[in-house]
Amino acid sequence: MKKEEQSYLYLVVLHVAIGIAIYLLPFTAKLYGYAMFILGVYYVIKTQNRNNEALMAAAYIAGAEVLLRMTGGNVSYEFSKYGVMLFILLGMYFSGFSKGATPYWFFLVLLVPGVVISSFVLNFDTNIRTTIAFNISGPVCLAVASLYTYRRKITLEQMNSMLLCIGLPILSCAVYLTLYTPNIRDVITGTQSNFETSGGFGPNQVATFLGLGMFIFFSRIILESRSKFLLLLNLIIVLNISYRGIVTFSRGGMITGFLMIVLLLSFLYFKSNFRGRVKLNYIVVVIAMAMMVTWTYTSFQTGGLINKRYANQDAQGREKASKFTGRGDIAATEIDMFLDNPVFGVGVAKGAEVREVETGNFAVSHDEITRMLAEHGSFGIVGLLILFITPLVLYLENKFNLFLLCFLAFWFLTINHAAMRTALPAFVYSLSLLNVQGLPDKKKLVEARQNSS
């Protein structure tokens, strides 16, 4: 076994062991949460961020968020967002801001009016500071990370390493879920999202992370599996994460991960020559067959209920009235708030209070787009346009970034069903702004080292 294969295997085994340890000894979740933060800070300071170590540390924190939340390992519930911002600020300290990141400075300014308004209009018994922080931390995390990543040069190898930093704690999460619910048949009784198969945590968020994990390890099958051993190892990981994601019965995250895979394959197919396309065809056929087997096994384990879930049917096979389980009603109220307050909006976090008064139901938004409209008004529209247009302009400048459209799709689709309650969509969005460079020529590197010695 080559040294590269051994190193990767050790990382995989370590994170499988972390998932097992957190399940068997719950207090290790706290140790894990504190350790990743302390070691990350030490790592970035020691290296002085010479190779974007701050991004690696931030990526790991973002990938571990849902595991830490479901096991109580976070310092605080929102810690991962602040952790990502802290590492990014450390990166800025050593490597500076990205030049020309004016759109994201402007985006930050556009958030201010909504914050100011909410400080006056929130209910008297509301904890204004924590409520505003909870609702605005996602967009602020996105802006801060984007100020660092905007047009920052990074190699494809570094990008793959960064994605692995996100994916490894997701692997630990999948292992934890396997131990938490070893027998799926015992807990599946209907077609609704299932908390038992999601570690007792929100299925929507868990499926979002597992869907991204599925994509990350799939991308490693295509780009980083230089031997049959690595190919088989990554395929096993993809299938296991996919299975755990499907049985959460939350569709949004898994559909998003699948669409990201389609985008990546489409990009590689059109950029490859004839020989490369033939190889891709073989890989796609093998993976498609493996995924079909996984789906068949999942259908068997759930008594066919998973088929009804994705067909938008209940356990009796009757079609459900809505695919969005109440989220459409929430989005509709937010559009009405925007129409009533088109300039400044109702203020950050005020939307849920207005909805409670009008409908008697206190429910936070699942859709970041309609939330931005309702709570920030026209400023929210301008902010969203900045977030949509800027990465697409960068794609026209650098079409080598094979992940850009995948990352943008993940952010957009995720904020439509899970808002920005975790750091992951904000951080992944910022990765779409990186200027991905081709891998350096190895012969030139050897010559340069010989000349310098």
Side-chain angles (χ1 to χ4, degrees):
M1 186 181 294
K2 296 180 181 179
K3 186 177 180 180
E4 177 188 2
E5 295 175 343
Q6 286 182 338
S7 299
Y8 184 63
L9 179 60
Y10 290 155
L11 283 174
V12 169
V13 172
L14 172 62
H15 284 82
V16 169
I18 288 172
I20 296 173
I22 291 176
Y23 176 77
L24 296 177
L25 304 168
F27 70 90
T28 58
K30 281 286 185 188
L31 298 178
Y32 178 54
Y34 280 92
M36 73 170 67
F37 175 71
I38 294 170
L39 293 175
V41 171
Y42 171 78
Y43 179 55
V44 175
I45 293 176
K46 182 181 179 180
T47 59
Q48 296 188 357
N49 198 45
R50 293 187 187 91
N51 294 300
N52 292 302
E53 286 82 4
L55 275 180
M56 303 292 180
Y60 196 89
I61 287 280
E65 183 173 10
V66 76
L67 174 61
L68 294 178
R69 281 187 175 183
M70 73 168 61
T71 58
N74 258 341
V75 178
S76 65
Y77 191 77
E78 290 288 289
F79 173 74
S80 293
K81 292 178 187 175
Y82 297 115
V84 167
M85 287 189 274
L86 176 63
F87 283 117
I88 294 298
L89 291 173
L90 273 175
M92 290 178 181
Y93 174 77
F94 289 111
S95 305
F97 297 95
S98 289
K99 296 179 180 179
T102 307
Y104 296 97
W105 286 112
F106 189 45
F107 176 75
L108 275 174
V109 172
L110 290 171
L111 298 176
V112 174
V115 173
V116 173
I117 291 172
S118 64
S119 64
F120 292 101
V121 300
L122 286 174
N123 292 345
F124 180 76
D125 57 347
T126 299
N127 188 322
I128 294 176
R129 182 182 62 84
T130 56
T131 301
I132 292 176
F134 174 78
N135 284 274
I136 204 69
S137 57
V140 172
C141 180
L142 181 150
V144 171
S146 298
L147 290 174
Y148 178 84
T149 59
Y150 184 79
R151 285 179 172 165
R152 187 173 293 271
K153 291 183 179 179
I154 190 172
T155 66
L156 182 58
E157 183 179 8
Q158 287 176 316
M159 177 67 86
N160 286 326
S161 297
M162 198 182 314
L163 288 176
L164 183 61
C165 288
I166 298 175
L168 286 172
I170 295 177
L171 172 61
S172 298
C173 181
V175 172
Y176 176 84
L177 293 174
T178 301
L179 297 172
Y180 188 92
T181 319
N183 194 339
I184 298 298
R185 291 185 179 184
D186 292 342
V187 298
I188 299 295
T189 57
T191 60
Q192 67 277 10
S193 296
N194 194 294
F195 282 81
E196 287 293 325
T197 59
S198 305
F201 195 66
N204 197 22
Q205 294 183 22
V206 173
T208 295
F209 277 68
L210 293 175
L212 180 62
M214 177 180 71
F215 166 78
I216 288 172
F217 287 100
F218 176 87
S219 71
R220 295 192 69 81
I221 292 176
I222 303 293
L223 303 172
E224 291 290 313
S225 296
R226 299 182 179 89
S227 66
K228 291 181 180 178
F229 171 77
L230 290 178
L231 179 65
L232 181 61
L233 178 60
N234 285 319
L235 182 60
I236 291 172
I237 294 172
V238 167
L239 296 180
N240 277 278
I241 290 179
S242 301
Y243 173 67
R244 297 312 308 188
I246 293 170
V247 296
T248 64
F249 275 66
S250 184
R251 296 166 292 186
M254 300 310 296
I255 292 173
T256 297
F258 176 75
L259 290 177
M260 291 175 74
I261 289 173
V262 171
L263 284 172
L264 178 63
L265 286 174
S266 300
F267 180 95
L268 293 173
Y269 192 83
F270 287 112
K271 293 291 183 180
S272 299
N273 55 25
F274 177 77
R275 188 175 179 182
R277 291 179 180 179
V278 171
K279 289 183 178 179
L280 274 177
N281 288 336
Y282 281 120
I283 293 174
V284 169
V285 169
V286 171
I287 293 175
M289 291 176 64
M291 292 299 288
M292 287 176 63
V293 171
T294 302
W295 181 269
T296 303
Y297 176 74
T298 307
S299 180
F300 173 74
Q301 287 291 324
T302 61
L305 290 176
I306 192 64
N307 304 65
K308 295 178 180 178
R309 171 62 172 170
Y310 278 78
N312 194 43
Q313 297 174 348
D314 62 16
Q316 283 72 42
R318 297 169 300 194
E319 186 171 355
K320 295 181 181 179
S322 173
K323 296 181 180 180
F324 304 109
T325 59
R327 295 171 193 168
D329 295 334
I330 295 175
T333 62
E334 289 176 326
I335 293 173
D336 290 338
M337 291 180 212
F338 167 71
L339 295 175
D340 293 334
N341 304 270
V343 180
F344 296 105
V346 297
V348 174
K350 186 62 178 176
E353 293 183 353
V354 173
R355 187 158 41 250
E356 184 179 27
V357 171
E358 294 181 350
T359 67
N361 178 32
F362 184 88
V364 292
S365 179
H366 290 267
D367 192 324
E368 193 70 19
I369 294 177
T370 56
R371 189 200 68 81
M372 286 282 287
L373 293 178
E375 299 183 0
H376 296 271
S378 298
F379 291 86
I381 293 179
V382 177
L384 288 170
L385 287 174
I386 290 173
L387 299 184
F388 279 115
I389 295 173
T390 307
L392 296 177
V393 172
L394 294 183
Y395 181 71
L396 296 177
E397 295 179 4
N398 177 22
K399 294 185 178 180
F400 183 74
N401 188 349
L402 67 167
F403 292 117
L404 188 151
L405 295 179
C406 300
F407 293 157
L408 192 60
F410 174 80
W411 168 76
F412 175 70
L413 294 174
T414 299
I415 67 172
N416 270 279
H417 69 84
M420 281 204 277
R421 301 199 188 142
T422 63
L424 200 59
F427 182 73
V428 170
Y429 172 90
S430 72
L431 299 183
S432 70
L433 307 176
L434 290 166
N435 184 358
V436 179
Q437 305 291 301
L439 292 173
D441 188 279
K442 292 184 178 180
K443 291 183 179 179
K444 290 183 180 180
L445 284 177
V446 172
E447 292 175 359
R449 288 172 184 168
Q450 291 174 346
N451 293 333
S452 61
S453 59

